[in-house]
Amino acid sequence: MCGIVAAASKTNVTDILMAGLKHLEYRGYDSAGIAILKNNVLNNYRQKGNVEELGKLLDATANSNIGIAHTRWATHGKPSKENAHPHIANDTIAIVHNGIIENYLDIKNKFLKNYKFLSDTDSEILAHLINHFSKDNEILDAVHLAMAEVQGSYALAVLDKNNPDKIIVARNGSPLLIGLGEEKNFIASDALALIEHTNRFVYLEDGDLATVSSEEVKIYDKNKKNIRRETKKSSLSLNSHSKDGYDHFMLKEIFEQPNAVKSTIENRIINNVVPKEILGPNAAEYLEKFKVVQIIACGTSYHAALVAKHWLERLAGIPCHAEIASEFRYRRHAVQKDTLLICISQSGETADTLSALREIKKEDYYVGTIAVCNVPESSLARECDSTLITHAGPEIGVASTKAFTTQLTALMLLVIVLGKRFEITPDLENSLCMQLKTLPDKIKSTLALDQKIAELAKIFSDKEHALFLGRGSHFPIAREGALKLKEISYIHAEAYAAGELKHGPLAIVDENMPVVAVAPNNVVLEKLKSNLEEVKARGGKLYIFADKKAGFKSDEISQVFEIDAPMNPVAPILFTIPLQLLAYHCAIIKGTNVDMPRNLAKSVTVE
Ligand code: AGP
């Protein structure tokens, strides 16, 4: 989704801005731009397409000590040069903006009736509105007054021709941070953009404004009172941006899963016990009180929520609801008193999840909120009572892989902690901890299927549709497999609970419909086998990922891929791996952009 980089320095910043935009590419975008201030003139360079194309517009004269830059992911107005940021008003004010200005038409009518707009974006009004207020006010006051008129979300950086040594920034609902350097300071929507220049960051809070020059950073709260925000040291490294010899980030991230899962359980299992302290100091109160769990999440994280619901109910006997955040947010729901809310999000910046959390916090039915998140400094992590970090490391590929399996790993730890007051006995805890500890090696063995799955992809990649089947806690895994395939290979894929097949989807099964089944050796195995017979009887081609003790054999209709996934609750984590590989290899054969699939963004910061 949209990205911001800006810098003020004693030396040229163009390279810093271009490198920052490159690092933000993984978030997904369709156009890019840079504005620099040189000899009292705002120079604006914008381009539809990628950052490399933008680079071609910049010649040796494109240098300056101050500038703002942006990657845009279209919301209002199609991808085009005119709609790309920065937007400039009156040759004086340049802005880059992430988020959505919900009342931009009202603002146009109220303040900007006689202004000429050059784009179809909501963002452009910000440049004109700030310009409007700057006629009678200092620039910081002008930005403050403008933001007071705005409804919606923004991370904003402003360059003003009349204040050539500073950038003014503002944040509400979209992430924005300030990077601290020596004789230079930076601004970005994502720390990864700046990691080659600094590891010291100040995270702005909603309502904050700041001025950033090469020498100083001043931060103000929503009342324009000067305030201090803590400086945090980031553990991100430049390596996060390297493919480490792999052809794609996605493949690297798939193969990082043994280590990522290992890091997620590290120091959290002590003598086969998961201490409640993994949830931090705020947990004591809600752990004693909660009666029901509500989970909200989107996309892949929602699939993790569905698995967690199975675990909470089956292993711990805790009633649990799981819902897509964007749906939960806009419907009236009957909440039971003493509900514990769990928000799952890789990025911690997903607008749907965040806005649902913010609504929920206004109600007093909830005893506590927990974020299961991969980014410790994210809005979600900061706004929940407790955070359980998944130690996946930065995930660059838009299609989530290691973030998902580490979410499941962290959720199993959470189920153990929450379940102790319910049905998780010391024996069950001991056994679940042992199973978690076997995961890194078991994932490694499952990854050995890579070449076989690459062969399977040759059959699969020319199909237009596919069906994925699973049951119980493996139905969400079938859904995740279908989502992965859709996202990066653009093959239409649907997932069904296998028992539902006969209630409708069986009608589309014929010899052209590949059917992928996830077949662990569990209590519903025999039922699943009957469901698969229904497919065979209709001539459907079956590709079965089965536990090696599940008793499946390949024949002329079905091809079986064996997985060593003993009959235990953590099996869904193992069954995820071959489905990720299948999607990856299909995408490679189809020649799609694996790491940045069309129309998608890594972190979806608009509702
Ligand atoms: C997964 O492959 C997706 N790209 C997407 O569904 C993602 O999981 C979703 O947007 C939620 O993101 P989050 O985990 O950062 O909240």
Side-chain angles (χ1 to χ4, degrees), residues 298-301 345-347 350 398-400 407 483-484 487 604:
C298 305
T300 288
S301 297
S345 171
Q346 181 280 130
S347 60
T350 300
V398 164
S400 196
Q407 280 170 348
L483 176 65
K484 281 301 80 102
E487 265 187 307
V604 187

Side-chain angles (χ1 to χ4, degrees), residues 52 62 88 154 199 234 334 348-349 352 451 507 511 525 545 547:
E52 212 169 306
I88 295 191
Y154 52 82
N199 63 355
S234 171
E349 300 295 350
D352 288 323
Q451 275 320 302
E511 64 284 358
L525 177 63
F545 293 97
D547 174 56

Side-chain angles (χ1 to χ4, degrees), residues 19 56 59 101 130 152 156 161 193 216 249 330 332 370 445 498 517 543 555 558 580 605:
K56 291 180 189 159
D59 58 20
I101 307 303
I130 294 165
L156 175 75
K161 191 170 87 170
E216 65 174 355
F249 281 110
Y330 288 106
R332 179 179 168 227
I370 303 176
S445 328
Y543 303 95
D555 53 31
S558 49
Q580 296 170 340
T605 50

Side-chain angles (χ1 to χ4, degrees), residues 340-400:
L340 175 65
L341 181 78
I342 301 175
C343 305
I344 309 175
S345 171
Q346 181 280 130
S347 60
E349 300 295 350
T350 300
D352 288 323
T353 311
L354 275 171
S355 58
L357 168 71
R358 287 168 187 156
E359 280 305 304
I360 283 165
K361 282 175 81 173
K362 292 180 194 156
E363 297 176 23
D364 55 9
Y365 291 104
Y366 293 89
V367 279
T369 52
I370 303 176
V372 176
C373 185
N374 196 36
V375 183
E377 303 84 7
S378 64
S379 305
L380 192 75
R382 285 183 287 135
E383 292 180 33
C384 282
D385 299 326
S386 301
T387 302
L388 189 56
I389 291 297
T390 52
H391 292 291
E395 189 178 69
I396 307 290
V398 164
S400 196

Side-chain angles (χ1 to χ4, degrees), residues 93 126 129-149 156 158 160 163 166 168-170 209-211 220-226:
I93 301 286
L126 294 176
L129 191 63
I130 294 165
N131 177 53
H132 169 84
F133 284 121
S134 70
K135 288 175 187 151
D136 301 317
N137 296 283
E138 291 289 322
I139 185 65
L140 182 68
D141 294 323
V143 173
H144 187 236
L145 287 167
M147 293 308 107
E149 297 297 331
L156 175 75
V158 182
D160 173 16
N163 286 278
K166 63 183 169 203
I168 300 90
V169 297
L209 293 160
T211 56
Y220 307 86
D221 69 7
K222 59 175 185 292
N223 302 315
K224 243 173 55 275
K225 200 172 130 236
N226 208 191

Side-chain angles (χ1 to χ4, degrees), residues 214-230:
S214 60
E215 280 168 347
E216 65 174 355
V217 170
K218 287 185 182 164
I219 304 175
Y220 307 86
D221 69 7
K222 59 175 185 292
N223 302 315
K224 243 173 55 275
K225 200 172 130 236
N226 208 191
I227 40 155
R228 285 184 66 81
R229 297 267 179 240
E230 198 188 334

